[in-house]
Amino acid sequence: KQEVTQIPAALSVPEGENLVLNCSFTDSAIYNLQWFRQDPGKGLTSLLLIQSSQREQTSGRLNASLDKSSGRSTLYIAASQPGDSATYLCAVRSGANSKLTFGKGITLSVRP
Amino acid sequence: DVKVTQSSRYLVKRTGEKVFLECVQDMDHENMFWYRQDPGLGLRLIYFSYDVKMKEKGDIPEGYSVSREKKERFSLILESASTNQTSMYLCASSLQIGQPQHFGDGTRLSIL
């Protein structure tokens, strides 16, 4: 059974810092991995999706990498801003027809 | 942009009531999903649907049912609401299985 872990549960950084959010999964045979952002009291917004054949995806200041063999993905946020404060979740799909397995998220606070 | 609309942001009901949560998507997506999100437990899949009139159980279907009479609408039904069903409920859709899921803003349901 796939398990997805995100540690730490919370992170506080000063504005302008580059930061890395980690996601680990137990079964390396994945189909794809998706990173989401969730603002308080809101739904999830998809940030990046990495297929199993890819090593990384980029969107603006965000870069997500995937290392299947080690069961890890990282979300890199460059030059963090207070508006980046939110909870970031990663989710793994184990097969083409499989459901998503979510981590519990990392709550990020960027201090002005 | 994909829009997934959940009919209520906040809902308060009493134990034993039959509760309907509605979700509509406007992008002709094949797949729709219902999750609940609880502190410390993360997102858990309740039910999903691959097509009209089709449904599949997720991880925690007990106490819930669903209806998908039209492609754009997916309803979650609490047959007899109980206090342990107090939660944030999130609806999502995707064009096909394996493709990114797009989420609504959620319904915060309180059962008194």
PDB file of all heavy atoms in Angstrom, chain A residues 23 30 32-36 45-50 64 73 89-93 100-102, chain B residues 98-103:
ATOM      1  N   CYS A  23       8.819  15.476  -0.151  1.00  0.00           N
ATOM      2  CA  CYS A  23       7.735  14.492  -0.213  1.00  0.00           C
ATOM      3  C   CYS A  23       8.388  13.133  -0.451  1.00  0.00           C
ATOM      4  O   CYS A  23       9.211  12.992  -1.360  1.00  0.00           O
ATOM      5  CB  CYS A  23       6.787  14.845  -1.356  1.00  0.00           C
ATOM      6  SG  CYS A  23       5.533  13.598  -1.724  1.00  0.00           S
ATOM      7  N   ILE A  30       5.541   4.390  -9.508  1.00  0.00           N
ATOM      8  CA  ILE A  30       4.443   5.358  -9.587  1.00  0.00           C
ATOM      9  C   ILE A  30       4.144   5.726 -11.036  1.00  0.00           C
ATOM     10  O   ILE A  30       4.994   5.556 -11.918  1.00  0.00           O
ATOM     11  CB  ILE A  30       4.737   6.632  -8.770  1.00  0.00           C
ATOM     12  CG1 ILE A  30       5.888   7.427  -9.394  1.00  0.00           C
ATOM     13  CG2 ILE A  30       5.050   6.277  -7.327  1.00  0.00           C
ATOM     14  CD1 ILE A  30       6.030   8.814  -8.798  1.00  0.00           C
ATOM     15  N   ASN A  32       2.432   8.979 -11.763  1.00  0.00           N
ATOM     16  CA  ASN A  32       2.796  10.388 -11.727  1.00  0.00           C
ATOM     17  C   ASN A  32       2.675  10.930 -10.314  1.00  0.00           C
ATOM     18  O   ASN A  32       2.189  10.249  -9.407  1.00  0.00           O
ATOM     19  CB  ASN A  32       1.989  11.242 -12.727  1.00  0.00           C
ATOM     20  CG  ASN A  32       0.485  11.209 -12.489  1.00  0.00           C
ATOM     21  OD1 ASN A  32       0.036  11.099 -11.350  1.00  0.00           O
ATOM     22  ND2 ASN A  32      -0.292  11.325 -13.556  1.00  0.00           N
ATOM     23  N   LEU A  33       3.130  12.145 -10.126  1.00  0.00           N
ATOM     24  CA  LEU A  33       3.092  12.801  -8.820  1.00  0.00           C
ATOM     25  C   LEU A  33       2.643  14.237  -9.051  1.00  0.00           C
ATOM     26  O   LEU A  33       3.082  14.907  -9.992  1.00  0.00           O
ATOM     27  CB  LEU A  33       4.478  12.766  -8.171  1.00  0.00           C
ATOM     28  CG  LEU A  33       4.616  13.359  -6.757  1.00  0.00           C
ATOM     29  CD1 LEU A  33       5.661  12.575  -5.965  1.00  0.00           C
ATOM     30  CD2 LEU A  33       4.973  14.831  -6.788  1.00  0.00           C
ATOM     31  N   GLN A  34       1.761  14.709  -8.179  1.00  0.00           N
ATOM     32  CA  GLN A  34       1.189  16.049  -8.348  1.00  0.00           C
ATOM     33  C   GLN A  34       1.401  16.852  -7.078  1.00  0.00           C
ATOM     34  O   GLN A  34       1.187  16.341  -5.969  1.00  0.00           O
ATOM     35  CB  GLN A  34      -0.317  15.918  -8.670  1.00  0.00           C
ATOM     36  CG  GLN A  34      -0.979  17.149  -9.215  1.00  0.00           C
ATOM     37  CD  GLN A  34      -2.375  16.841  -9.775  1.00  0.00           C
ATOM     38  OE1 GLN A  34      -2.829  15.692  -9.804  1.00  0.00           O
ATOM     39  NE2 GLN A  34      -3.064  17.870 -10.238  1.00  0.00           N
ATOM     40  N   TRP A  35       1.791  18.108  -7.231  1.00  0.00           N
ATOM     41  CA  TRP A  35       1.903  19.046  -6.110  1.00  0.00           C
ATOM     42  C   TRP A  35       0.723  20.006  -6.153  1.00  0.00           C
ATOM     43  O   TRP A  35       0.373  20.528  -7.218  1.00  0.00           O
ATOM     44  CB  TRP A  35       3.206  19.843  -6.195  1.00  0.00           C
ATOM     45  CG  TRP A  35       4.409  19.097  -5.683  1.00  0.00           C
ATOM     46  CD1 TRP A  35       5.294  18.371  -6.419  1.00  0.00           C
ATOM     47  CD2 TRP A  35       4.866  19.037  -4.335  1.00  0.00           C
ATOM     48  NE1 TRP A  35       6.273  17.843  -5.619  1.00  0.00           N
ATOM     49  CE2 TRP A  35       6.039  18.242  -4.323  1.00  0.00           C
ATOM     50  CE3 TRP A  35       4.419  19.563  -3.134  1.00  0.00           C
ATOM     51  CZ2 TRP A  35       6.759  17.976  -3.167  1.00  0.00           C
ATOM     52  CZ3 TRP A  35       5.132  19.301  -1.975  1.00  0.00           C
ATOM     53  CH2 TRP A  35       6.291  18.511  -2.000  1.00  0.00           C
ATOM     54  N   PHE A  36       0.148  20.238  -4.960  1.00  0.00           N
ATOM     55  CA  PHE A  36      -0.992  21.134  -4.819  1.00  0.00           C
ATOM     56  C   PHE A  36      -0.680  22.205  -3.774  1.00  0.00           C
ATOM     57  O   PHE A  36       0.126  22.013  -2.872  1.00  0.00           O
ATOM     58  CB  PHE A  36      -2.241  20.382  -4.329  1.00  0.00           C
ATOM     59  CG  PHE A  36      -2.796  19.366  -5.274  1.00  0.00           C
ATOM     60  CD1 PHE A  36      -2.342  18.056  -5.242  1.00  0.00           C
ATOM     61  CD2 PHE A  36      -3.800  19.709  -6.175  1.00  0.00           C
ATOM     62  CE1 PHE A  36      -2.883  17.107  -6.097  1.00  0.00           C
ATOM     63  CE2 PHE A  36      -4.340  18.759  -7.027  1.00  0.00           C
ATOM     64  CZ  PHE A  36      -3.877  17.459  -6.980  1.00  0.00           C
ATOM     65  N   THR A  45      -5.333  23.765  -5.262  1.00  0.00           N
ATOM     66  CA  THR A  45      -4.967  24.274  -6.577  1.00  0.00           C
ATOM     67  C   THR A  45      -3.768  23.480  -7.073  1.00  0.00           C
ATOM     68  O   THR A  45      -2.759  23.386  -6.381  1.00  0.00           O
ATOM     69  CB  THR A  45      -4.592  25.769  -6.502  1.00  0.00           C
ATOM     70  OG1 THR A  45      -5.719  26.498  -6.007  1.00  0.00           O
ATOM     71  CG2 THR A  45      -4.190  26.290  -7.869  1.00  0.00           C
ATOM     72  N   SER A  46      -3.896  22.906  -8.271  1.00  0.00           N
ATOM     73  CA  SER A  46      -2.794  22.124  -8.818  1.00  0.00           C
ATOM     74  C   SER A  46      -1.654  23.045  -9.225  1.00  0.00           C
ATOM     75  O   SER A  46      -1.859  24.052  -9.903  1.00  0.00           O
ATOM     76  CB  SER A  46      -3.287  21.330 -10.028  1.00  0.00           C
ATOM     77  OG  SER A  46      -2.227  20.568 -10.566  1.00  0.00           O
ATOM     78  N   LEU A  47      -0.443  22.703  -8.790  1.00  0.00           N
ATOM     79  CA  LEU A  47       0.749  23.497  -9.121  1.00  0.00           C
ATOM     80  C   LEU A  47       1.547  22.852 -10.249  1.00  0.00           C
ATOM     81  O   LEU A  47       1.845  23.489 -11.251  1.00  0.00           O
ATOM     82  CB  LEU A  47       1.636  23.645  -7.880  1.00  0.00           C
ATOM     83  CG  LEU A  47       1.034  24.390  -6.694  1.00  0.00           C
ATOM     84  CD1 LEU A  47       1.970  24.326  -5.502  1.00  0.00           C
ATOM     85  CD2 LEU A  47       0.738  25.831  -7.056  1.00  0.00           C
ATOM     86  N   LEU A  48       1.916  21.607 -10.054  1.00  0.00           N
ATOM     87  CA  LEU A  48       2.766  20.919 -11.018  1.00  0.00           C
ATOM     88  C   LEU A  48       2.430  19.439 -11.002  1.00  0.00           C
ATOM     89  O   LEU A  48       2.087  18.886  -9.958  1.00  0.00           O
ATOM     90  CB  LEU A  48       4.250  21.096 -10.666  1.00  0.00           C
ATOM     91  CG  LEU A  48       4.843  22.499 -10.837  1.00  0.00           C
ATOM     92  CD1 LEU A  48       6.147  22.630 -10.081  1.00  0.00           C
ATOM     93  CD2 LEU A  48       5.055  22.795 -12.321  1.00  0.00           C
ATOM     94  N   LEU A  49       2.535  18.807 -12.170  1.00  0.00           N
ATOM     95  CA  LEU A  49       2.376  17.364 -12.279  1.00  0.00           C
ATOM     96  C   LEU A  49       3.605  16.816 -12.981  1.00  0.00           C
ATOM     97  O   LEU A  49       3.997  17.331 -14.031  1.00  0.00           O
ATOM     98  CB  LEU A  49       1.108  17.007 -13.045  1.00  0.00           C
ATOM     99  CG  LEU A  49       0.817  15.510 -13.193  1.00  0.00           C
ATOM    100  CD1 LEU A  49      -0.668  15.227 -13.058  1.00  0.00           C
ATOM    101  CD2 LEU A  49       1.339  14.978 -14.523  1.00  0.00           C
ATOM    102  N   ILE A  50       4.216  15.795 -12.394  1.00  0.00           N
ATOM    103  CA  ILE A  50       5.397  15.166 -12.993  1.00  0.00           C
ATOM    104  C   ILE A  50       5.035  13.734 -13.355  1.00  0.00           C
ATOM    105  O   ILE A  50       4.613  12.957 -12.491  1.00  0.00           O
ATOM    106  CB  ILE A  50       6.590  15.140 -12.021  1.00  0.00           C
ATOM    107  CG1 ILE A  50       6.844  16.509 -11.400  1.00  0.00           C
ATOM    108  CG2 ILE A  50       7.839  14.657 -12.732  1.00  0.00           C
ATOM    109  CD1 ILE A  50       7.977  16.500 -10.396  1.00  0.00           C
ATOM    110  N   ALA A  64       9.596  21.404  -9.460  1.00  0.00           N
ATOM    111  CA  ALA A  64       9.386  20.125  -8.783  1.00  0.00           C
ATOM    112  C   ALA A  64      10.276  19.076  -9.430  1.00  0.00           C
ATOM    113  O   ALA A  64      10.362  18.990 -10.651  1.00  0.00           O
ATOM    114  CB  ALA A  64       7.928  19.697  -8.859  1.00  0.00           C
ATOM    115  N   SER A  73      10.288  13.317  -3.921  1.00  0.00           N
ATOM    116  CA  SER A  73      10.056  14.478  -4.764  1.00  0.00           C
ATOM    117  C   SER A  73      10.305  15.725  -3.929  1.00  0.00           C
ATOM    118  O   SER A  73      10.080  15.715  -2.713  1.00  0.00           O
ATOM    119  CB  SER A  73       8.627  14.492  -5.301  1.00  0.00           C
ATOM    120  OG  SER A  73       8.364  15.676  -6.026  1.00  0.00           O
ATOM    121  N   LEU A  89       0.645  20.259  -0.613  1.00  0.00           N
ATOM    122  CA  LEU A  89       0.436  18.815  -0.541  1.00  0.00           C
ATOM    123  C   LEU A  89       1.002  18.141  -1.777  1.00  0.00           C
ATOM    124  O   LEU A  89       0.901  18.685  -2.881  1.00  0.00           O
ATOM    125  CB  LEU A  89      -1.053  18.473  -0.456  1.00  0.00           C
ATOM    126  CG  LEU A  89      -1.826  18.979   0.765  1.00  0.00           C
ATOM    127  CD1 LEU A  89      -2.573  20.253   0.436  1.00  0.00           C
ATOM    128  CD2 LEU A  89      -2.807  17.928   1.238  1.00  0.00           C
ATOM    129  N   CYS A  90       1.578  16.978  -1.587  1.00  0.00           N
ATOM    130  CA  CYS A  90       1.938  16.166  -2.743  1.00  0.00           C
ATOM    131  C   CYS A  90       1.031  14.936  -2.768  1.00  0.00           C
ATOM    132  O   CYS A  90       0.533  14.496  -1.721  1.00  0.00           O
ATOM    133  CB  CYS A  90       3.402  15.777  -2.757  1.00  0.00           C
ATOM    134  SG  CYS A  90       3.896  14.553  -1.554  1.00  0.00           S
ATOM    135  N   ALA A  91       0.792  14.433  -3.957  1.00  0.00           N
ATOM    136  CA  ALA A  91      -0.078  13.281  -4.141  1.00  0.00           C
ATOM    137  C   ALA A  91       0.525  12.389  -5.213  1.00  0.00           C
ATOM    138  O   ALA A  91       0.985  12.870  -6.251  1.00  0.00           O
ATOM    139  CB  ALA A  91      -1.475  13.716  -4.538  1.00  0.00           C
ATOM    140  N   VAL A  92       0.491  11.092  -4.947  1.00  0.00           N
ATOM    141  CA  VAL A  92       1.091  10.114  -5.845  1.00  0.00           C
ATOM    142  C   VAL A  92       0.017   9.232  -6.461  1.00  0.00           C
ATOM    143  O   VAL A  92      -0.897   8.789  -5.761  1.00  0.00           O
ATOM    144  CB  VAL A  92       2.099   9.238  -5.055  1.00  0.00           C
ATOM    145  CG1 VAL A  92       2.575   8.071  -5.898  1.00  0.00           C
ATOM    146  CG2 VAL A  92       3.274  10.079  -4.593  1.00  0.00           C
ATOM    147  N   ARG A  93       0.142   9.001  -7.752  1.00  0.00           N
ATOM    148  CA  ARG A  93      -0.727   8.031  -8.425  1.00  0.00           C
ATOM    149  C   ARG A  93       0.119   6.821  -8.773  1.00  0.00           C
ATOM    150  O   ARG A  93       1.123   6.950  -9.480  1.00  0.00           O
ATOM    151  CB  ARG A  93      -1.336   8.633  -9.684  1.00  0.00           C
ATOM    152  CG  ARG A  93      -2.391   7.733 -10.328  1.00  0.00           C
ATOM    153  CD  ARG A  93      -2.897   8.318 -11.639  1.00  0.00           C
ATOM    154  NE  ARG A  93      -3.362   9.682 -11.502  1.00  0.00           N
ATOM    155  CZ  ARG A  93      -4.539  10.025 -11.025  1.00  0.00           C
ATOM    156  NH1 ARG A  93      -5.376   9.091 -10.632  1.00  0.00           N
ATOM    157  NH2 ARG A  93      -4.896  11.298 -10.938  1.00  0.00           N
ATOM    158  N   LEU A 100      -5.354   8.838  -6.324  1.00  0.00           N
ATOM    159  CA  LEU A 100      -4.265   9.610  -5.741  1.00  0.00           C
ATOM    160  C   LEU A 100      -4.128   9.266  -4.261  1.00  0.00           C
ATOM    161  O   LEU A 100      -5.128   9.140  -3.557  1.00  0.00           O
ATOM    162  CB  LEU A 100      -4.540  11.107  -5.864  1.00  0.00           C
ATOM    163  CG  LEU A 100      -4.364  11.758  -7.238  1.00  0.00           C
ATOM    164  CD1 LEU A 100      -4.801  13.217  -7.176  1.00  0.00           C
ATOM    165  CD2 LEU A 100      -2.929  11.660  -7.696  1.00  0.00           C
ATOM    166  N   THR A 101      -2.888   9.138  -3.817  1.00  0.00           N
ATOM    167  CA  THR A 101      -2.597   9.013  -2.392  1.00  0.00           C
ATOM    168  C   THR A 101      -1.913  10.297  -1.955  1.00  0.00           C
ATOM    169  O   THR A 101      -0.858  10.654  -2.497  1.00  0.00           O
ATOM    170  CB  THR A 101      -1.682   7.809  -2.103  1.00  0.00           C
ATOM    171  OG1 THR A 101      -2.321   6.621  -2.563  1.00  0.00           O
ATOM    172  CG2 THR A 101      -1.421   7.698  -0.599  1.00  0.00           C
ATOM    173  N   PHE A 102      -2.511  10.986  -0.993  1.00  0.00           N
ATOM    174  CA  PHE A 102      -2.036  12.297  -0.571  1.00  0.00           C
ATOM    175  C   PHE A 102      -1.141  12.212   0.656  1.00  0.00           C
ATOM    176  O   PHE A 102      -1.369  11.392   1.556  1.00  0.00           O
ATOM    177  CB  PHE A 102      -3.221  13.206  -0.218  1.00  0.00           C
ATOM    178  CG  PHE A 102      -3.970  13.738  -1.403  1.00  0.00           C
ATOM    179  CD1 PHE A 102      -4.963  12.992  -2.003  1.00  0.00           C
ATOM    180  CD2 PHE A 102      -3.682  14.997  -1.909  1.00  0.00           C
ATOM    181  CE1 PHE A 102      -5.657  13.476  -3.106  1.00  0.00           C
ATOM    182  CE2 PHE A 102      -4.369  15.499  -2.994  1.00  0.00           C
ATOM    183  CZ  PHE A 102      -5.358  14.733  -3.594  1.00  0.00           C
TER     184      PHE A 102
ATOM    185  N   GLY B  98      -5.612   9.632 -14.494  1.00  0.00           N
ATOM    186  CA  GLY B  98      -4.186   9.843 -14.701  1.00  0.00           C
ATOM    187  C   GLY B  98      -3.845  11.278 -15.026  1.00  0.00           C
ATOM    188  O   GLY B  98      -2.676  11.656 -15.007  1.00  0.00           O
ATOM    189  N   GLN B  99      -4.844  12.078 -15.312  1.00  0.00           N
ATOM    190  CA  GLN B  99      -4.618  13.486 -15.610  1.00  0.00           C
ATOM    191  C   GLN B  99      -4.893  14.335 -14.366  1.00  0.00           C
ATOM    192  O   GLN B  99      -5.520  13.862 -13.422  1.00  0.00           O
ATOM    193  CB  GLN B  99      -5.480  13.908 -16.789  1.00  0.00           C
ATOM    194  CG  GLN B  99      -5.128  13.133 -18.053  1.00  0.00           C
ATOM    195  CD  GLN B  99      -5.566  13.850 -19.311  1.00  0.00           C
ATOM    196  OE1 GLN B  99      -6.387  14.740 -19.271  1.00  0.00           O
ATOM    197  NE2 GLN B  99      -4.999  13.439 -20.435  1.00  0.00           N
ATOM    198  N   PRO B 100      -4.398  15.583 -14.365  1.00  0.00           N
ATOM    199  CA  PRO B 100      -4.513  16.399 -13.141  1.00  0.00           C
ATOM    200  C   PRO B 100      -5.951  16.527 -12.657  1.00  0.00           C
ATOM    201  O   PRO B 100      -6.875  16.686 -13.457  1.00  0.00           O
ATOM    202  CB  PRO B 100      -3.958  17.758 -13.588  1.00  0.00           C
ATOM    203  CG  PRO B 100      -3.052  17.449 -14.715  1.00  0.00           C
ATOM    204  CD  PRO B 100      -3.664  16.287 -15.426  1.00  0.00           C
ATOM    205  N   GLN B 101      -6.105  16.482 -11.340  1.00  0.00           N
ATOM    206  CA  GLN B 101      -7.417  16.702 -10.734  1.00  0.00           C
ATOM    207  C   GLN B 101      -7.554  18.180 -10.385  1.00  0.00           C
ATOM    208  O   GLN B 101      -6.624  18.812  -9.899  1.00  0.00           O
ATOM    209  CB  GLN B 101      -7.574  15.843  -9.479  1.00  0.00           C
ATOM    210  CG  GLN B 101      -7.670  14.360  -9.793  1.00  0.00           C
ATOM    211  CD  GLN B 101      -8.023  13.526  -8.581  1.00  0.00           C
ATOM    212  OE1 GLN B 101      -8.443  14.041  -7.550  1.00  0.00           O
ATOM    213  NE2 GLN B 101      -7.865  12.217  -8.704  1.00  0.00           N
ATOM    214  N   HIS B 102      -8.748  18.704 -10.625  1.00  0.00           N
ATOM    215  CA  HIS B 102      -9.064  20.092 -10.315  1.00  0.00           C
ATOM    216  C   HIS B 102     -10.133  20.105  -9.225  1.00  0.00           C
ATOM    217  O   HIS B 102     -11.135  19.410  -9.346  1.00  0.00           O
ATOM    218  CB  HIS B 102      -9.566  20.809 -11.574  1.00  0.00           C
ATOM    219  CG  HIS B 102      -8.567  20.790 -12.691  1.00  0.00           C
ATOM    220  ND1 HIS B 102      -7.647  21.793 -12.880  1.00  0.00           N
ATOM    221  CD2 HIS B 102      -8.322  19.877 -13.662  1.00  0.00           C
ATOM    222  CE1 HIS B 102      -6.888  21.498 -13.923  1.00  0.00           C
ATOM    223  NE2 HIS B 102      -7.274  20.344 -14.418  1.00  0.00           N
ATOM    224  N   PHE B 103      -9.889  20.916  -8.210  1.00  0.00           N
ATOM    225  CA  PHE B 103     -10.721  20.882  -7.022  1.00  0.00           C
ATOM    226  C   PHE B 103     -11.645  22.088  -6.913  1.00  0.00           C
ATOM    227  O   PHE B 103     -11.319  23.193  -7.373  1.00  0.00           O
ATOM    228  CB  PHE B 103      -9.834  20.845  -5.772  1.00  0.00           C
ATOM    229  CG  PHE B 103      -9.245  19.495  -5.492  1.00  0.00           C
ATOM    230  CD1 PHE B 103      -8.171  19.022  -6.223  1.00  0.00           C
ATOM    231  CD2 PHE B 103      -9.783  18.690  -4.500  1.00  0.00           C
ATOM    232  CE1 PHE B 103      -7.626  17.776  -5.974  1.00  0.00           C
ATOM    233  CE2 PHE B 103      -9.246  17.436  -4.236  1.00  0.00           C
ATOM    234  CZ  PHE B 103      -8.173  16.987  -4.974  1.00  0.00           C
TER     235      PHE B 103
END
